[in-house]
Amino acid sequence: MDKKLKIGVLASGRGTNLQAMIDGIQRGELSAEIAIVISDNRDAMALERARKANIPTVYVKPGKKSEFEREVINILEENNAELIVLAGFMRILSPNFVNHFPLKIINIHPSLLPSFPGLEAQRQAIEYGVKITGCTVHFVNEMVDAGPIILQEAVPVYDDDTVESLSDRILEKEHKILVEAVRIFSENKLKVIGRRVFIDKTGSDKCL
Ligand code: GAR
């Protein structure tokens, strides 16, 4: 049997992207195991979702950034995390943290990067007036929302969209591309050359 990829998830809130991974694993679409879910928010619904799926959880109190990150690194290492997924994790990680796990941290962001990085990407898209936005899964590098892009999916913006309605439409696609990106990573099919990420499609019947 294939060795399962061990994933460490960092999440601050509701945790629907975490849930999409849990469901993907339960449906057999992902050969992976979520080894630990870490949150900087004691009340995050993500922690509740993890507990329901019998996944170990840890709340790390945010204090001094270097100490917070040191503790998170220790927990990820103790749990042998081979991939770290930022699933709605609302803190910026320092270069020290990122360089500890080169090309091993991925993030889901609710816009077509490099447009609308940072907070409230869906609101930014509506206020700017774009007709198409979407979501991006990317490797995390030292700059915010700027690492090599793994997968993106476009989503239309309608005239009567609110931040909520647009966010919901994007979220559906987030769940899909996040699970897909984790699957491709777990199958060792990603090759990064500079800023570009290439996906080995040999032997795949899936259209990416
Ligand atoms: C998602 O829309 C995710 O893309 C976004 O937070 C939401 C978390 O939802 N992340 C960011 O904006 C990171 N910059 P979830 O907790 O239900 O997965």
Side-chain angles (χ1 to χ4, degrees), residues 13-17 87-88 90 108-110 118 122 171 174:
R14 179 178 58 165
T16 65
N17 278 289
M90 300 317 247
I108 176 81
H109 183 78
Q122 305 94 331
L171 198 60
E174 291 186 36

Side-chain angles (χ1 to χ4, degrees), residues 19-44:
Q19 190 67 53
M21 288 187 283
I22 293 171
D23 294 346
I25 290 169
Q26 282 174 355
R27 281 198 300 263
E29 290 165 15
L30 284 176
S31 174
E33 173 198 340
I34 301 177
I36 188 81
V37 174
I38 303 170
S39 185
D40 56 338
N41 171 12
R42 197 199 303 268
D43 302 321

Side-chain angles (χ1 to χ4, degrees), residues 48-206:
E48 196 51 43
R49 291 177 189 272
R51 284 185 213 112
K52 269 202 187 125
N54 291 318
I55 297 166
T57 61
V58 187
Y59 159 66
V60 180
K61 194 171 178 208
K64 196 166 167 230
K65 192 180 179 97
S66 59
E67 283 164 20
F68 171 81
E69 290 191 346
R70 172 43 51 200
E71 195 173 340
V72 173
I73 289 172
N74 287 344
I75 296 165
L76 290 167
E77 286 182 340
E78 278 160 18
N79 285 278
N80 301 312
E82 298 161 287
L83 171 69
I84 297 150
V85 179
L86 309 185
F89 185 65
M90 300 317 247
R91 267 167 211 282
I92 294 168
L93 295 167
S94 72
N96 174 59
F97 187 102
V98 172
N99 292 328
H100 210 88
F101 303 103
L103 295 180
K104 294 261 181 293
I105 311 173
I106 66 173
N107 179 45
I108 176 81
H109 183 78
S111 75
L112 290 177
L113 292 170
S115 291
F116 315 127
L119 292 177
E120 299 202 79
Q122 305 94 331
R123 182 183 301 280
Q124 292 184 54
I126 289 180
E127 286 176 0
Y128 195 93
V130 292
K131 304 294 184 193
I132 295 173
T133 182
C135 49
T136 303
V137 183
H138 64 92
F139 283 110
V140 174
N141 68 6
E142 294 186 5
M143 277 147 350
V144 178
D145 296 331
I149 290 169
I150 302 169
L151 290 175
Q152 293 186 301
E153 184 111 6
V155 172
V157 182
Y158 300 131
D159 290 350
D160 59 355
D161 260 330
T162 60
V163 172
E164 288 69 33
S165 64
L166 179 60
S167 299
D168 287 349
R169 196 173 315 115
I170 295 172
L171 198 60
E172 267 181 51
K173 302 291 186 190
E174 291 186 36
H175 298 162
K176 180 178 150 224
I177 65 169
L178 181 60
V179 171
E180 186 67 359
V182 172
R183 186 182 68 77
I184 301 166
F185 185 100
S186 71
E187 292 172 356
N188 241 326
K189 287 186 170 165
L190 292 174
K191 188 155 108 191
V192 184
I193 302 177
R195 281 208 51 84
R196 299 187 70 193
V197 179
F198 296 90
I199 298 168
D200 176 4
K201 292 179 189 155
T202 52
S204 167
D205 54 0
K206 295 224 173 189

